[in-house]
Amino acid sequence: MILLIGCEKGGPGKTTIATNLAAMRARAGRDVLLVDTDIQGTASLWAQTRDEMGISPRVATVQKFGKNLSNELRDLSKRYQDIIIDAGGRDSAELRASLVCADMAIIPVQASQFDLWTLDRMDEMVKLARSINENLDARILISRAATNIAIPETQNAKDLIGDFDTFSLLKTIIRERIAFRRAGAKGKCVTEMYEEDTNKCAFEITQLYKEIYQ
């Protein structure tokens, strides 16, 4: 399966999501490759930290750029059971190329009007990609949401996303929690640091993993 984590705007925690899912997939015994197409290279730095810390299982990671990315991803998918792509937070050749070959695209958005405005652009990109990749499954993930569930922004975001028939909305909501940053700094996923039945961020990422893969 080729899974894309990408969006047109920076800041919704796409690298956090991509690295956590990659580590969890590796821990499940899958042969997974994390593809970093963001020039900032944060996912690659996370994987390097994981290697330096000697954390097992290792998560294979490569950096790939350019318009030929879709062909390279198709070739890599013959050698790996799972590919997870971390695409930069902007409209780029890499994001568009990834949409053309991905089985599923997870589009993280923050529950803010600025992020939600970018969905018009993503709507256009997904529709264009489907002219080639007709089976592309595109899903919206509300990410970095406020931990105070009484704040109405999240419900407002759900209502606005419902206006698009291009995407489906994931049930899981990933909230802004410092535990994600602590785990990332150690080259880990949060489930390697916390128990999912007692820690909220570990529970959330586990629920997202199950929605995507099970």
Side-chain angles (χ1 to χ4, degrees):
M1 177 180 180
I2 300 177
L3 176 68
L4 165 65
I5 313 294
C7 55
E8 200 267 335
K9 187 178 184 298
K14 60 178 185 52
T15 300
T16 295
I17 295 161
T19 53
N20 272 268
L21 291 176
M24 293 172 74
R25 205 65 179 143
R27 284 166 58 83
R30 301 285 291 184
D31 191 8
V32 61
L33 175 67
L34 177 61
V35 180
D36 187 354
T37 73
D38 191 339
I39 57 174
Q40 293 183 352
T42 308
S44 298
L45 290 172
W46 171 87
Q48 180 180 331
T49 301
R50 188 176 180 86
D51 285 345
E52 291 172 351
M53 299 288 286
I55 300 169
S56 182
R58 183 175 184 271
V59 177
T61 308
V62 295
Q63 285 187 294
K64 294 285 184 180
F65 306 101
K67 295 180 179 179
N68 196 44
L69 178 62
S70 58
N71 290 331
E72 294 187 65
L73 289 170
R74 290 189 186 99
D75 181 61
L76 288 167
S77 69
K78 299 173 184 176
R79 290 179 269 164
Y80 291 88
Q81 292 175 300
D82 290 286
I83 292 179
I84 297 175
I85 308 162
D86 177 19
R90 63 192 181 284
D91 184 353
S92 64
E94 290 79 17
L95 176 57
R96 289 177 179 266
S98 298
L99 285 167
V100 166
C101 65
D103 297 298
M104 182 185 295
I106 303 298
I107 303 162
V109 296
Q110 295 187 74
S112 72
Q113 193 61 53
F114 293 117
D115 271 42
L116 295 170
W117 279 335
T118 68
L119 287 181
D120 287 327
R121 296 283 297 278
M122 288 304 305
D123 179 66
E124 293 174 4
M125 279 190 270
V126 169
K127 286 178 178 176
L128 182 61
R130 281 185 178 149
S131 66
I132 302 171
N133 182 12
E134 61 182 18
N135 294 320
L136 174 63
D137 182 0
R139 306 189 190 187
I140 299 292
L141 170 67
I142 296 177
S143 180
R144 299 190 68 183
T147 53
N148 183 355
I149 61 174
I151 294 176
E153 281 184 331
T154 301
Q155 185 57 50
N156 293 341
K158 287 182 178 180
D159 294 339
L160 189 149
I161 290 166
D163 293 337
F164 292 90
D165 57 9
T166 312
F167 319 108
S168 60
L169 179 64
L170 287 159
K171 294 179 182 178
T172 304
I173 295 175
I174 301 296
R175 300 188 182 275
E176 175 68 16
R177 303 189 191 279
I178 194 170
F180 283 113
R181 294 195 292 275
R182 288 175 176 166
K186 296 178 182 294
K188 294 183 176 182
C189 62
V190 289
T191 57
E192 291 172 316
M193 294 183 65
Y194 308 98
E195 295 294 330
E196 65 181 82
D197 57 348
T198 59
N199 184 272
K200 292 178 179 178
C201 69
F203 175 79
E204 289 169 1
I205 201 69
T206 299
Q207 292 305 109
L208 177 62
Y209 179 92
K210 289 178 179 179
E211 257 197 280
I212 294 169
Y213 290 108
Q214 298 178 24

